[in-house]
Amino acid sequence: MSPLVAFLIVLATVAAMELVAWSSHKYVMHGFGWAWHRDHHEPHDHALEKNDLYALVGAAISIAMFALGSPMVMGDAAWTPGTWIGLGVLIYGVIYTLIHDGLVHQRYFRWVPRRGYAKRLVQAHKLHHATIGKEGGVSFGFVVARDPAILKRELREQRARGVAVLRETAD
């Protein structure tokens, strides 16, 4: 496989992972997987959350793809793109950890962005946390952040329809 093709597979996987993350966040974490995700939406003083188990799921997917691409593991059945897909999942996991856990929730470092896309990411995710419970909500992605003004309007509409219960500080 050419280095260009491998690079494109990694890039495509990183981009696709935002779609995977968005859909799993909206439909799994805020659906049947709420038991693991709930503590992420509630105040606590623990260093770790049950929600961190989702990172282990992502790591397992990456490791499985590396294994599928490894001739040492799979022999002649090795699927070369697996290695590059595994690398793309790993890179997305690092980006997620730095942006979501680091920048937004400040678990690893303290920096409050004053402008630009980093500020928009923080605002969008704080609006995601503006609801109480798993119902309703906005901004389920982790790297792509929509305009906070639009997200606020969507939250108000959800509240008016009875879909979402907003925290006191949400408006």
Side-chain angles (χ1 to χ4, degrees):
M1 175 176 297
S2 79
L4 176 61
V5 171
F7 178 73
L8 292 174
I9 290 172
V10 171
L11 280 181
T13 302
V14 171
M17 282 304 298
E18 178 67 1
L19 298 173
V20 169
W22 180 91
S23 58
S24 63
H25 188 190
K26 183 172 176 78
Y27 298 110
V28 175
M29 295 177 190
H30 282 258
F32 66 87
W34 180 248
W36 280 11
H37 191 59
R38 172 184 287 133
D39 68 344
H40 180 67
H41 282 266
E42 297 172 348
H44 62 79
D45 58 357
H46 305 105
L48 296 174
E49 306 171 341
K50 277 188 188 177
N51 184 67
D52 294 330
L53 293 170
Y54 286 113
L56 296 178
V57 172
I61 292 168
S62 180
I63 291 166
M65 295 311 295
F66 276 118
L68 282 174
S70 171
M72 292 186 69
V73 174
M74 302 299 290
D76 290 338
W79 183 56
T80 306
T83 298
W84 306 113
I85 293 169
L87 182 59
V89 173
L90 172 64
I91 289 169
Y92 184 85
V94 170
I95 292 168
Y96 164 85
T97 298
L98 291 173
I99 289 176
H100 179 264
D101 292 343
L103 175 67
V104 174
H105 290 288
Q106 301 196 355
R107 289 174 78 177
Y108 312 127
F109 56 86
R110 301 275 187 243
W111 175 60
V112 178
R114 303 282 183 228
R115 63 184 184 287
Y117 196 72
K119 179 179 179 180
R120 184 177 176 148
L121 280 169
V122 171
Q123 288 175 317
H125 198 73
K126 289 199 182 293
L127 289 168
H128 172 74
H129 282 267
T131 58
I132 297 173
K134 68 179 186 175
E135 304 303 327
V138 294
S139 194
F140 290 92
F142 295 110
V143 178
V144 175
R146 295 172 42 223
D147 181 356
I150 293 170
L151 298 174
K152 286 178 184 179
R153 185 180 71 235
E154 289 176 5
L155 281 171
R156 285 191 301 271
E157 291 169 358
Q158 287 180 11
R159 180 179 58 194
R161 291 192 323 265
V163 173
V165 176
L166 302 185
R167 297 185 189 285
E168 292 294 321
T169 60
D171 252 346

